[in-house]
């Protein structure tokens, strides 16, 4: 029962000062803006996009970049680049770099973007997991994010742009949360 209550209703802490209440109220509005409009917020521009497609996220979101085939944006499974831990010499994930596909690599992803957690996982990792091609084991049904991008959204760059937009949403979310007033004990 307590688990259900924790998920069903939003909780607004009881604060002693009206200014604190206003801060929480405004934070809620700001969070709603970023989270409800995640598909239209600006793509994060602080990354470097390397590869055959150039800088696709800097162009119009409504149609593919002229002269660049849609196949360059096809994503099978995004993954982190690997680097060596200097202490253990073991291979570890470099979360500042994501290999989008064989043609595109996203570099300089701010590590702070991974601090926004959704159901125990960073939002960016959810996007990486969901924007891929998978086959359901039981039914054999193919789930292809590229088909959604081209057929529904009319934009083969949609998975790439979604990843860049979620960086923006993650960073803005953490700015809002970290700016909340402290709660009295």
């Amino acid at each position: 029962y307590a688990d259900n209550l924790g998920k069903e209703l939003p909780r607004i802490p009881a604060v002693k000062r009206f200014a604190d209440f206003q801060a929480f109220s405004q934070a809620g509005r700001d969070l709603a803006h970023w989270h409800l409009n995640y598909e239209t917020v600006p793509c994060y521009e602080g990354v470097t996009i390397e590869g055959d497609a150039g800088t696709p996220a800097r162009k119009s979101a409504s149609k593919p970049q002229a002269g660049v085939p849609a196949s360059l944006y096809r994503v099978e499974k995004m993954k982190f680049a690997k680097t060596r831990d200097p202490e253990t010499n073991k291979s570890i994930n470099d979360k500042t770099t994501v290999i989008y596909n064989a043609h595109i690599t996203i570099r300089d992803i701010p590590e702070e973007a991974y601090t926004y957690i959704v159901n125990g996982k960073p939002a960016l990792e959810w996007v990486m997991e969901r924007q891929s091609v998978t086959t359901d084991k039981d039914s054999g049904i193919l789930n292809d994010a590229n088909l959604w991008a081209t057929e529904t959204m009319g934009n083969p760059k949609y998975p790439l742009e979604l990843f860049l937009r979620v960086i923006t949403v993650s960073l803005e979310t953490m700015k809002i949360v970290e700016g909340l007033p402290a709660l009295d004990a």
Side-chain angles (χ1 to χ4, degrees):
Y1 182 71
D3 288 339
N4 283 345
L5 283 178
K7 294 175 186 174
E8 290 176 2
L9 298 173
R11 300 284 189 251
I12 300 174
V15 292
K16 294 180 181 173
R17 295 188 323 261
F18 183 66
D20 289 346
F21 173 80
Q22 287 179 310
F24 278 101
S25 175
Q26 186 60 50
R29 285 183 178 88
D30 294 343
L31 288 170
H33 161 74
W34 290 108
H35 292 214
L36 293 173
N37 300 307
Y38 70 94
E39 289 185 306
T40 58
V41 302
C43 292
Y44 182 73
E45 294 189 5
V47 298
T48 303
I49 299 174
E50 299 176 348
D52 298 338
T55 54
R58 308 293 190 282
K59 305 299 178 187
S60 169
S62 60
K63 53 188 163 183
Q65 187 174 343
V68 177
S71 62
L72 287 180
Y73 299 106
R74 181 169 177 74
V75 61
E76 292 291 326
K77 181 174 176 59
M78 291 183 235
K79 59 187 174 188
F80 293 115
K82 298 289 185 186
T83 189
R84 290 263 172 220
D85 182 332
E87 294 176 16
T88 64
N89 202 30
K90 290 184 180 180
S91 179
I92 58 172
N93 288 338
D94 175 6
K95 292 191 174 190
T96 65
T97 302
V98 169
I99 300 167
Y100 177 80
N101 64 19
H103 307 285
I104 299 171
T105 300
I106 308 165
R107 295 192 187 282
D108 306 320
I109 300 165
E111 291 190 34
E112 307 87 65
Y114 293 97
T115 58
Y116 173 48
I117 306 293
V118 178
N119 290 331
K121 185 185 292 191
L124 287 176
E125 291 182 24
W126 278 99
V127 172
M128 290 172 66
E129 183 180 294
R130 300 292 188 263
Q131 297 299 308
S132 63
V133 178
T134 59
T135 303
D136 183 72
K137 288 183 241 175
D138 296 332
S139 68
I141 295 174
L142 179 71
N143 181 12
D144 187 344
N146 301 290
L147 293 177
W148 168 263
T150 55
E151 294 175 2
T152 304
M153 301 306 288
N155 179 9
K157 298 185 295 184
Y158 178 80
L160 174 61
E161 291 175 349
L162 178 63
F163 184 82
L164 298 175
R165 286 184 168 103
V166 171
I167 293 173
T168 300
V169 170
S170 296
L171 292 173
E172 291 298 325
T173 295
M174 295 315 298
K175 256 194 258 180
I176 293 166
V177 169
E178 290 166 0
L180 288 171
L183 294 175
D184 296 328

